[in-house]
């Protein structure tokens, strides 16, 4: 089954404790991205990757890092989480075909105390 | 700088057609209209997209006006499981970032 998986699905942590949210897709997609969703602000893109070893900032990259060492994986790293990073996070992937649809993961609900 | 305008909420009776409008008056010639939905707090789900012609798939129909300044997503027989926030997104070919607005919250009522 074609899918995007994220882990963990729920995480409660404390300020400053480094964490990684994993994202994996099994569709051989070149493009992967991370969004965060906050009440009243909708979904906003954090980072994206056009292919292995190619990453770039989205609209709200501050406080986040990403890496793309393998095509299927695109982890989101919070080196020193802060309470304003409490949010619902989604990973998405698609091919580089001009009109292909994007597939979203199930989401990771992060709370930073 | 919103590219699309949608009503914040709509109700639809179960079994009836749900017609969700979207205005995109500044759409350019090579931009597509995409519709996604988000059920509760799940990941957004693709529904349909089009450039200028009307489109239909197993989930919905998309009607785009001739001047391309507006479109309507039609769910032909809405069910309770169609209750969700529906997003109309305009994006160019080769642009992979999806800009989500506030969408329309559709409530399907028994």
């Amino acid at each position: 089954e074609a899918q995007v998986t994220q882990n963990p699905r729920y995480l409660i942590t404390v300020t400053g404790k480094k964490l990684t949210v994993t994202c994996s897709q099994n569709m051989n997609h070149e493009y992967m991205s991370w969004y965060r969703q906050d009440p009243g602000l909708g979904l906003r893109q954090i980072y994206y990757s056009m292919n292995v070893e190619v990453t770039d900032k989205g609209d709200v990259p501050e406080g986040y890092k990403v890496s793309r060492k393998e095509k299927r994986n695109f982890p989101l790293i919070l080196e020193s989480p802060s309470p304003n990073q409490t949010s619902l996070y989604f990973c998405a992937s698609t091919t580089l075909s001009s009109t292909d649809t994007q597939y979203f993961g199930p989401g990771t609900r992060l709370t930073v105390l | 700088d919103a590219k699309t305008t949608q009503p914040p909420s709509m109700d639809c009776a179960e079994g009836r057609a749900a017609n969700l409008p979207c205005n995109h008056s500044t759409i350019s010639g090579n931009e597509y209209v995409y519709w996604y939905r988000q059920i509760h707090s799940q990941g957004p789900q693709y529904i349909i997209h089009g450039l200028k012609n009307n489109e239909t798939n197993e989930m919905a129909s998309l009607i785009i006006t001739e001047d391309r300044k507006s479109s309507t997503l039609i769910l032909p027989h809405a069910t309770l499981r169609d209750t969700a926030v529906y997003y109309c997104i305009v994006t160019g070919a080769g642009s992979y970032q999806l800009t989500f607005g506030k969408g329309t919250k559709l409530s399907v009522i028994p």
Side-chain angles (χ1 to χ4, degrees):
Chain A
E1 179 191 354
Q3 61 181 351
V4 178
T5 57
Q6 295 179 225
N7 282 292
R9 295 289 314 281
Y10 302 90
L11 179 61
I12 300 174
T13 189
V14 296
T15 299
K17 186 175 180 182
K18 181 180 178 180
L19 66 92
T20 299
V21 183
T22 64
C23 172
S24 183
Q25 50 92 6
N26 62 1
M27 296 165 281
N28 202 36
H29 286 166
E30 298 89 355
Y31 183 91
M32 297 184 73
S33 65
W34 278 100
Y35 292 82
R36 62 176 289 175
Q37 185 172 28
D38 303 290
L41 296 176
L43 283 100
R44 295 175 293 167
Q45 192 181 59
I46 303 170
Y47 266 95
Y48 66 93
S49 169
M50 301 285 281
N51 216 322
V52 175
E53 302 293 358
V54 180
T55 64
D56 210 342
K57 297 176 181 179
D59 295 326
V60 289
E62 294 77 21
Y64 304 94
K65 286 176 58 177
V66 292
S67 69
R68 189 88 182 273
K69 294 186 172 61
E70 304 166 283
K71 198 171 187 179
R72 64 183 293 127
N73 297 323
F74 189 47
L76 179 69
I77 304 155
L78 286 73
E79 295 265 1
S80 183
S82 63
N84 65 11
Q85 293 177 298
T86 292
S87 188
L88 180 58
Y89 292 86
F90 292 102
C91 181
S93 74
T94 187
T95 67
L96 291 180
S97 164
S98 63
T99 61
D100 209 353
T101 67
Q102 298 210 22
Y103 294 80
F104 283 81
T108 294
R109 188 169 292 280
L110 173 66
T111 301
V112 183
L113 302 175
Chain B
D1 185 21
K3 282 190 166 185
T4 64
T5 304
Q6 299 177 252
S9 65
M10 293 181 64
D11 291 340
C12 178
E14 189 177 17
R16 305 297 292 267
N19 296 280
L20 291 91
C22 179
N23 286 324
H24 30 79
S25 58
T26 59
I27 192 170
S28 59
N30 66 348
E31 288 185 314
Y32 288 76
V33 180
Y34 283 80
W35 283 84
Y36 282 77
R37 73 180 182 183
Q38 187 175 23
I39 297 172
H40 194 45
S41 293
Q42 299 177 20
Q45 175 191 24
Y46 165 82
I47 301 172
I48 199 167
H49 75 281
L51 183 62
K52 57 175 81 171
N53 298 321
N54 298 338
E55 303 287 345
T56 295
N57 63 21
E58 63 279 3
M59 288 182 69
S61 294
L62 174 60
I63 309 297
I64 302 174
T65 58
E66 194 167 340
D67 63 8
R68 301 186 71 235
K69 292 185 177 182
S70 66
S71 60
T72 301
L73 176 74
I74 301 173
L75 307 179
H77 305 287
T79 71
L80 298 178
R81 287 175 296 178
D82 293 320
T83 292
V85 178
Y86 287 77
Y87 298 98
C88 171
I89 299 169
V90 167
T91 188
S95 173
Y96 307 101
Q97 180 181 7
L98 299 177
T99 300
F100 289 83
K102 296 188 187 305
T104 296
K105 182 169 184 175
L106 175 69
S107 299
V108 180
I109 301 165

